[in-house]
Amino acid sequence: MEPICAGLAGALLLLAAGEETSPPLVRGAWIRAFRAEGTAEAAKALEEGTALLPEAARPPFDVDRSLLERMKGVFASLPTRVKAGEKLPGALGKTTRLRGDVLAVDEEGFTLKEAREEKRIPWSGLAKRDLADFVSAREPRNARDLFDAAALRLLDGDAERAWKGLQQVRTAFAAEPEAALASSVLDARTPLEAGLREAKGLAAFRSVPEDASGAPLLAAVRAAFTDPEVLASEAYGKGREGLAPRVSTALEGEYAREGVKSAFRGAVEVAEGGRVSLRYAFERVEEAGDWILEPYPSVRSGAWGGFDPKIDAAKVQDWGVREGGLFAAGRASARHVAQFTGEVSVKLSFKVTTLEKVAPKEVVIYLLLAGILDDRKGTFVCSPGGTNLVRVKKGELAQLPTTGSIPPVPPFGKVHEMKVEWKGGKLTAALGGKTSIEAAFTGAPDKPGQSPQTGGTVFLWLEGPVLARVDDVVVEGTLDPAWVESSKKDWVAKQVLQTLPAAGK
């Protein structure tokens, strides 16, 4: 048996792994075929579809056959209703914008002369809504024409007008055969509406070219699957799984074209070798999405081991974007989503204010750290406010011989710029654009048998009874290839769900 209709839409209706097709899908297939190809293809779809159903499910399709027979009659009557040598009736060309003189008419269609151009128009090429308006406008109004117009509107998807028209036929022409037929169609309203929904779903799949790939495929899919009714169809539920692998492949190509820009919410500049510059002005709340709120990097001992001043819990906030900046108060830690390898730096501007009024000589202790090379196992390098360089190794403060003079603690209430960087085998910390502290660091293992430190993440860390505002963060480094691959998989998975939403109900 040949498919009911070519491609994915037809495959949905065939038996697969012992699964039976459903009446709504069979009904949707013939309605879609009628809309797109005409009565002959619709009849074929109807007969082949019902043959796939159990015997008990076939009798209700007598209504469908009656509707289809009426449609055949409508199209068969057109050669006598449209006259050669006359203007094309305006109603017939309203949607398709056909106009001009009818030169010739036959059973297949007509020849139209518009200006100096002659066109061959098949009857099936007329819009069904236009044909319904044309048929229903004939005088005197009769049951046959009004029923046919209502049926055309129903199959074309204008269900509201269709049901009203059928009710009118049943009420106003009770003695005519069309009244009984209208009554049977009205009684089958629920299954017919289910079929109409499936027709939309099948048509959506048919609108996606079978040979499309890459950007054209994504554009076609994004255009096809926006209607909630389509997403709720059985056709979509069955067809989505088959289309998803093609969409995933296309999205992987889109990720490659866009580079890692697609993975970040901040501004991204990409250089050779996977090196990136990520900038965060925090003018958009979305930019905070690149910073993961999570516990501090572990410090078990040393000067910071018990650093936990008493803070009013009501004033503790996580990092959050507002008023064009990234704010935090009390205890807060945020890690950048990316994993870097090799040389890396983070630069930012900040302003710190106390949460409460303090006496003139009272000392407020706090830490505002910018960290790099965090292996997420307790080893990292950081700078407190750009005034010093500190290395924590496996949760303990480690010796890091430095050169340079330590500047004073940045005063409260003023904007300062700081930077911490690893470059050329050297760590540097800077405050106010001037290098203040340097330390030799190659990443080589401290002891034989240990692994070298060649990369890690970037983080921000605040602890103390203060409010901190951070602006203009710039992170520069080479992205870890393994992270890029993992990021691509995550990004593609999320984009698949956006491009092909989960089936509705």
Side-chain angles (χ1 to χ4, degrees), residues 221-480:
V221 171
R222 286 165 177 157
F225 303 111
T226 58
D227 187 338
E229 194 171 18
V230 169
L231 302 182
S233 68
E234 184 180 347
Y236 182 75
K238 289 180 176 292
R240 183 185 181 279
E241 184 176 350
L243 188 56
R246 291 175 60 195
V247 171
S248 294
T249 299
L251 286 167
E252 288 174 358
E254 186 173 84
Y255 185 93
R257 286 189 298 275
E258 290 294 320
V260 296
K261 294 180 180 180
S262 302
F264 300 108
R265 294 168 178 82
V268 185
E269 295 179 11
V270 182
E272 295 182 0
R275 191 165 180 83
V276 296
S277 177
L278 308 171
R279 299 175 180 272
Y280 299 89
F282 298 113
E283 295 174 348
R284 297 176 295 110
V285 173
E286 292 80 7
E287 293 179 65
D290 285 348
W291 299 85
I292 303 170
L293 304 179
E294 62 181 33
Y296 302 142
S298 175
V299 181
R300 291 191 297 270
S301 64
W304 296 348
F307 191 88
D308 187 12
K310 294 181 179 180
I311 302 169
D312 183 351
K315 297 178 180 178
V316 176
Q317 303 174 42
D318 285 325
W319 295 101
V321 175
R322 63 180 189 275
E323 301 173 11
L326 182 65
F327 284 84
R331 302 191 67 179
S333 179
R335 184 189 307 278
H336 196 272
V337 294
Q339 178 85 16
F340 296 91
T341 183
E343 298 177 346
V344 64
S345 69
V346 57
K347 181 177 68 174
L348 56 95
S349 65
F350 67 94
K351 182 172 73 171
V352 177
T353 56
T354 58
L355 288 175
E356 298 178 354
K357 292 183 179 181
V358 296
K361 294 184 179 181
E362 183 178 352
V363 177
V364 177
I365 301 175
Y366 75 94
L367 282 177
L368 175 61
L369 304 179
I372 60 175
L373 300 175
D374 184 0
D375 68 357
R376 307 193 70 174
K377 297 178 181 179
T379 298
F380 58 88
V381 173
C382 65
S383 175
T387 63
N388 202 351
L389 276 169
V390 179
R391 187 185 183 204
V392 174
K393 182 182 177 184
K394 294 185 178 181
E396 298 183 8
L397 291 178
Q399 292 295 325
L400 189 63
T402 60
T403 60
S405 58
I406 297 178
V409 175
F412 288 122
K414 294 185 179 180
V415 177
H416 307 278
E417 184 179 280
M418 66 167 290
K419 182 177 183 180
V420 58
E421 180 178 37
W422 183 36
K423 184 177 182 181
K426 183 170 57 177
L427 290 165
T428 60
L431 177 64
K434 297 180 180 180
T435 300
S436 56
I437 298 293
E438 294 184 355
F441 183 75
T442 63
D446 297 316
K447 296 179 181 180
Q450 292 181 343
S451 300
Q453 186 171 4
T454 58
T457 62
V458 171
F459 66 86
L460 301 174
W461 177 359
L462 175 70
E463 183 163 353
V466 297
L467 173 69
R469 171 176 177 147
V470 173
D471 293 284
D472 301 320
V473 178
V474 179
V475 180
E476 294 183 340
T478 301
L479 294 170
D480 187 321

Side-chain angles (χ1 to χ4, degrees), residues 46-251:
L46 178 57
E47 292 311 307
E48 293 186 353
T50 53
L52 296 174
L53 295 173
E55 288 286 347
R58 297 177 187 178
F61 283 86
D62 289 343
V63 173
D64 301 67
R65 293 186 180 88
S66 297
L67 284 171
L68 189 50
E69 286 302 313
R70 294 301 293 246
M71 296 302 95
K72 290 179 181 179
V74 171
F75 282 97
S77 71
L78 290 177
T80 62
R81 298 189 185 193
V82 178
K83 305 294 185 180
E86 297 181 359
K87 293 284 185 182
L88 179 70
L92 284 180
K94 185 177 180 180
T95 300
T96 54
R97 297 184 179 181
L98 294 173
R99 59 179 60 85
D101 298 321
V102 178
L103 300 181
V105 175
D106 56 40
E107 293 182 355
E108 302 298 324
F110 60 97
T111 303
L112 183 68
K113 183 176 182 180
E114 185 177 357
R116 297 182 179 181
E117 182 182 3
E118 293 185 9
K119 300 178 182 179
R120 177 63 180 172
I121 310 297
W123 298 121
S124 60
L126 295 173
K128 307 300 185 294
R129 68 188 65 181
D130 293 347
L131 187 53
D133 290 344
F134 172 69
V135 170
S136 62
R138 293 184 65 195
E139 295 292 347
R141 297 168 71 83
N142 59 78
R144 170 172 287 275
D145 287 342
L146 291 179
F147 177 88
D148 290 343
L152 281 164
R153 291 186 175 112
L154 177 64
L155 298 177
D156 192 47
D158 188 1
E160 185 175 350
R161 292 183 67 191
W163 300 127
K164 290 180 179 179
L166 291 168
Q167 289 169 352
Q168 180 184 4
V169 171
R170 183 170 63 178
T171 302
F173 299 92
E176 301 290 336
E178 282 76 15
L181 186 53
S183 183
S184 65
V185 174
L186 286 166
D187 289 343
R189 178 169 180 167
T190 297
L192 282 170
E193 288 184 338
L196 292 171
R197 181 176 62 249
E198 297 308 321
K200 291 180 71 173
L202 292 170
F205 279 104
R206 291 280 292 186
S207 70
V208 179
E210 293 186 13
D211 58 351
S213 61
L217 171 65
L218 294 175
V221 171
R222 286 165 177 157
F225 303 111
T226 58
D227 187 338
E229 194 171 18
V230 169
L231 302 182
S233 68
E234 184 180 347
Y236 182 75
K238 289 180 176 292
R240 183 185 181 279
E241 184 176 350
L243 188 56
R246 291 175 60 195
V247 171
S248 294
T249 299
L251 286 167

